[in-house]
Amino acid sequence: ENERVLQGPREGFDEAAMFNVAMIRRRLQTPDFCATTVRLGKQTNTYIFICYIKGLVSEKSLKILNERLSKINIDSVLDSNYIAEQISDNKSSLFKSVGSTERPDIVAARLLEGRIALVVDSTPVVITLPYLFSENFQSDEDYYQNFLTASVGRLLRCICFFLSISLPAIYVALTVYHRRLLPTAFLLSLTEARASVPFSSVAECVGLILVFEILKEAGVRTQQSLGTALSIVGGLVVGQAAVEAKIVSAPMLIVVALSGIAGLMVPRLRAAVFYLRFLLVLGSSLLGL
C-alpha cells in the first residue's frame, strides 16, 4: 500500500518470515545467496533471518551487524522497527541509517548492491542496511525506468527537499530583514496583504506549518473517503476563509502550501523535513539569511 508503482511487480512481503525469504530466493537463483537465523526477544523468541550474497556483501558490515544483534536484550520483538532502533548508528539522528521496504524486488536489488537484509517474523517490513542518504531520493520505480527519466525524478526530489525545508525560512528572512532585496511591486503587494494581519511573520509561518501538518496527519489517519474530503475542506475552504478574515496573509499561505507539497515528494524524510523546517524558520527569524 505504501510503495505502489506504475511499472514493476505488484507483490509484497507477508507476515511469515519463511515465505518472505522464499520470495527473495525466487529472484536470486544463485548459490551465493545466504540466509542465517537468530532468535531475539526473551518472551517472543522471534525468528530473524540475516540475508546477503556471499562475495558481494561487506564482511566488515556483516561483522558489525552480528555484534550489534548479539548485544540486543529485550523482552519482545513484534516488528522489525524493534531491531532497527537497536542497531542504528545514531538513535537521535534525524536521518535513518537503516532502511525498510515491503517489496521483495527492492530487497533483491539491494542485496545485489552488497547490502544486508533482515527479515523479521510476523511483520511484512524488511530491514536493509547500510542505508545511504541518497536512497531517500530514490523511488521504487526507478529500477524499471530509463536512466534519464529516473535521474530527472531524483533531481526533482532533491530540489523539493531543499524547498520544503528552506522556502518558509527564506520568505521570513526576506520579509523581516531583507525587504530591499524584493522587487518594489512585489514588496508593495506584500505590504498590502499583511496590512490587516494581527500576527508577526514568524508566528504566522509557524502556525500555518502546524495546521498543514495536522491536516496531513488527519488525512492519513482517517478513512480514505473521509481523508479526501478532509483535505479539500481543510486546504481550500478553511484556507480561503482564513485569508478573507485577515487571520493569515495569502502570500504566506502560498509559501507554506508549496513547502508542504514539496515535502510530500520525499516521504522517507518526513521527520527530518518537519524538524529542519522549524529550525530554519526560527533561525531566519533571528539571523535573517
Side-chain angles (χ1 to χ4, degrees), residues 147-210:
F147 74 97
L148 291 174
T149 305
S151 299
V152 170
R154 292 188 188 183
L155 180 61
L156 285 175
R157 294 182 204 108
C158 293
I159 294 173
C160 285
F161 173 68
F162 174 76
L163 292 177
S164 64
I165 64 174
S166 63
L167 195 59
I170 292 173
Y171 180 83
V172 169
L174 290 176
T175 55
V176 175
Y177 291 102
H178 309 287
R179 293 196 169 194
R180 293 182 181 180
L181 296 178
L182 298 173
T184 304
F186 178 69
L187 181 59
L188 293 174
S189 175
L190 185 64
T191 304
E192 182 181 356
R194 284 197 45 80
S196 303
V197 176
F199 305 107
S200 65
S201 295
V202 181
E204 185 184 7
C205 183
V206 171
L208 281 175
I209 291 174
L210 285 176

Side-chain angles (χ1 to χ4, degrees), residues 67-83:
E67 290 176 353
R68 294 184 183 181
L69 289 176
S70 64
K71 294 178 181 178
I72 296 177
N73 183 23
I74 54 178
D75 288 334
S76 63
V77 178
L78 301 177
D79 185 78
S80 59
N81 192 56
Y82 284 57
I83 304 299

Side-chain angles (χ1 to χ4, degrees), residues 11 18 22 286:
E11 61 181 357
M18 288 292 292
L286 297 173

Side-chain angles (χ1 to χ4, degrees), residues 88-99 131-133 136-137 161 165 266-280:
S88 296
D89 289 334
N90 186 357
K91 298 179 182 179
S92 60
S93 174
L94 293 177
F95 304 102
K96 300 189 299 180
S97 59
V98 175
Y131 186 75
L132 306 179
F133 179 72
N136 292 310
F137 306 107
F161 173 68
I165 64 174
V266 281
R268 294 187 178 98
L269 290 171
R270 179 184 175 187
V273 166
F274 178 78
Y275 288 113
L276 290 175
R277 189 185 291 158
F278 268 110
L279 288 174
L280 289 178

